[in-house]
Amino acid sequence: FNSNQTMNFFQLSVLILALTGASAAIAPRRKTSGWVLATEYNVNTEWDSFKQAFRKRYSPEEELVRREIFETSLKRAAESNIDNVRGGGKHVFGVTKFSDRTPEEFDAVKGRKGTGSPHNLESVTIPTDPEAFSASSVDWTALGYTTPVKNQGQCGSCWAFSATEQIESQYMLAGNAAWELSVQQIASCTKGAFGCGGGDTTVAYEQLMSGETKSGMETGGVASNSMAPYTQSMYETCLGPLCTVSCKDSGIGNLTEMIPEEALTGPYVGVTGYSYATTPCTGTCKSQNLTLLNANLASTAPASICVNAASWGDYVGGVMTTAACGGYGYNDLDHCVQLTGFDMTADEPYYIVRNSWATNWGEDGYIYLSATDNTCGVADEATFVDVSFDM
């Protein structure tokens, strides 16, 4: 098969599974990092366990401050567990690697989705008729169509990770071997975005489609991660364009320089278009079409999504309910990730979401969101991309 035939053959195979009532593979639940908070707990015991589990070392002065923050985090996690139970779920919040962080420090790690409205609405299409597709579950990670979980560090570049991961997945679905692409290029070179200060996935797609970076260089594709690796700090906070690695550094984003080295650094991938997995919204988002989202997710690919992740810092594992996640309107969205599957047959139906906070958060870097509602805004801005790699 050529690349297009390979993609069509795969999608036909998934469609046959769905139409016959079969479910696509769902991987075993992943390992959690941290631990869910018990109803009754001792702060001193939890604090000692936290320091040991996450290898924390403080000066005497800093320890006093961090322990106070930690105690506040435990109270917040306990309250969130109550919310999750009221929403029909179980305890999912507790002690995580972020438990000694202030809300402001956590915001720096979380990432920053830019504000605005979904782009290019007049030209997007909804790929699949939901009535013709009835898969009850799919897990694109288990099927082998996602790259490893990444770590955005102390840079608000979640939107760049989400866009890049989506391109990687759809490159593989087009019949190519797994290959990691340059998040740094997307973060540094996207016009209309602010690097570590925030951006949006659709802005990244449109820049790649136009081929012109904000530095004026021409590019029509995402370079290999080997050509332009991610170099934003894992330790020093960067929440603006000035501390974001420049697009001009080492020719990042400039295909004039990158193409001659492709044989050594690996392929680059272009974007020719994008579409929505379900109709996007810009308001309260109370009527999102989850049936259409599920149908398109099962028949097409994982999807890039943007969500409200305000409560995710205390998440350990299990299914987070809509009640515990909070607002899901478009203006509540503050973080972009990748929706990699769902399971409607589980006791608590859930969406599988891949994050960019390394594998020592959540369940090996993933979070499970209730699939009975638009939890965290999972259906507000879910996108697919069209890729080109014979350039």
Side-chain angles (χ1 to χ4, degrees):
F1 296 107
N2 62 32
S3 59
N4 289 331
Q5 288 173 322
T6 302
M7 177 177 63
N8 293 336
F9 177 78
F10 176 81
Q11 290 180 332
L12 178 61
S13 300
V14 177
L15 179 60
I16 291 172
L17 284 174
L19 291 176
T20 56
S23 297
I26 290 288
R29 292 293 288 270
R30 299 163 172 91
K31 183 184 70 174
T32 61
S33 295
W35 54 93
V36 173
L37 195 63
T39 304
E40 300 292 333
Y41 61 89
N42 180 280
V43 176
N44 289 330
T45 301
E46 301 289 343
W47 176 240
D48 290 340
S49 298
F50 167 76
K51 290 189 293 181
Q52 181 176 2
F54 293 100
R55 302 179 182 179
K56 295 286 186 173
R57 299 289 186 272
Y58 310 101
S59 68
E61 296 80 9
E62 185 182 14
E63 177 146 4
L64 292 174
V65 174
R66 292 297 169 184
R67 188 196 175 284
E68 184 175 350
I69 296 169
F70 180 82
E71 185 171 0
T72 300
S73 296
L74 294 189
K75 292 178 181 178
R76 184 179 59 244
E79 292 170 356
S80 295
N81 278 329
I82 293 172
D83 290 338
N84 212 58
V85 171
R86 286 174 178 168
K90 303 173 183 177
H91 285 203
V92 300
F93 299 98
V95 178
T96 76
K97 65 179 182 178
F98 299 125
S99 293
D100 65 344
R101 299 287 189 99
T102 65
E104 293 74 22
E105 289 172 321
F106 172 65
D107 283 343
V109 177
K110 179 173 59 181
R112 307 176 78 85
K113 180 200 178 300
T115 59
S117 300
H119 289 247
N120 208 25
L121 293 180
E122 68 280 1
S123 64
V124 301
T125 59
I126 304 300
T128 303
D129 178 0
E131 294 181 359
F133 211 93
S134 57
S136 58
S137 63
V138 68
D139 184 341
W140 288 105
T141 299
L143 290 168
Y145 290 96
T146 62
T147 51
V149 170
K150 300 177 175 67
N151 187 4
Q152 67 189 72
Q154 304 299 299
C155 166
S157 55
C158 62
W159 61 278
F161 277 83
S162 181
T164 305
E165 290 162 2
Q166 190 61 30
I167 297 167
E168 290 170 342
S169 288
Q170 302 216 231
Y171 176 70
M172 286 187 277
L173 279 164
N176 300 287
W179 190 246
E180 293 190 46
L181 301 172
S182 176
V183 176
Q184 191 67 65
Q185 178 192 331
I186 302 297
S188 296
C189 300
T190 300
K191 292 182 67 174
F194 299 95
C196 293
D200 203 350
T201 54
T202 55
V203 174
Y205 303 151
E206 291 182 352
Q207 181 270 304
L208 290 169
M209 291 162 61
S210 72
E212 183 180 349
T213 69
K214 60 185 176 183
S215 64
M217 295 185 294
E218 291 298 318
T219 176
V222 187
S224 162
N225 184 62
S226 301
M227 169 63 80
Y230 191 69
T231 54
Q232 297 297 154
S233 178
M234 297 293 112
Y235 314 102
E236 297 179 4
T237 300
C238 175
L239 296 178
L242 295 181
C243 54
T244 304
V245 174
S246 171
C247 188
K248 297 180 180 179
D249 289 356
S250 303
I252 293 174
N254 189 347
L255 290 189
T256 301
E257 295 186 26
M258 292 189 292
I259 288 175
E261 307 300 335
E262 182 186 15
L264 300 177
T265 63
Y268 61 94
V269 181
V271 173
T272 58
Y274 66 95
S275 60
Y276 290 93
T278 193
T279 305
C281 71
T282 57
T284 59
C285 306
K286 292 183 178 180
S287 302
Q288 289 307 96
N289 190 337
L290 300 181
T291 301
L292 183 61
L293 173 67
N294 295 352
N296 281 328
L297 191 72
S299 65
T300 307
S304 166
I305 61 172
C306 297
V307 294
N308 173 8
S311 61
W312 288 21
D314 298 321
Y315 172 81
V316 175
V319 180
M320 185 186 295
T321 67
T322 307
C325 197
Y328 50 80
Y330 190 80
N331 289 335
D332 294 312
L333 308 183
D334 59 7
H335 186 49
C336 297
V337 287
Q338 189 179 35
L339 176 59
T340 62
F342 61 87
D343 188 354
M344 302 305 293
T345 68
D347 292 340
E348 296 179 87
Y350 57 78
Y351 286 115
I352 309 168
V353 177
R354 168 197 183 188
N355 204 355
S356 53
W357 298 344
T359 56
N360 62 345
W361 170 88
E363 297 197 23
D364 282 338
Y366 287 74
I367 185 172
Y368 296 84
L369 303 178
S370 173
T372 60
D373 205 344
N374 186 20
T375 307
C376 300
V378 66
D380 292 357
E381 187 182 347
T383 54
F384 302 129
V385 294
D386 301 317
V387 298
S388 173
F389 45 91
D390 295 323
M391 295 181 287

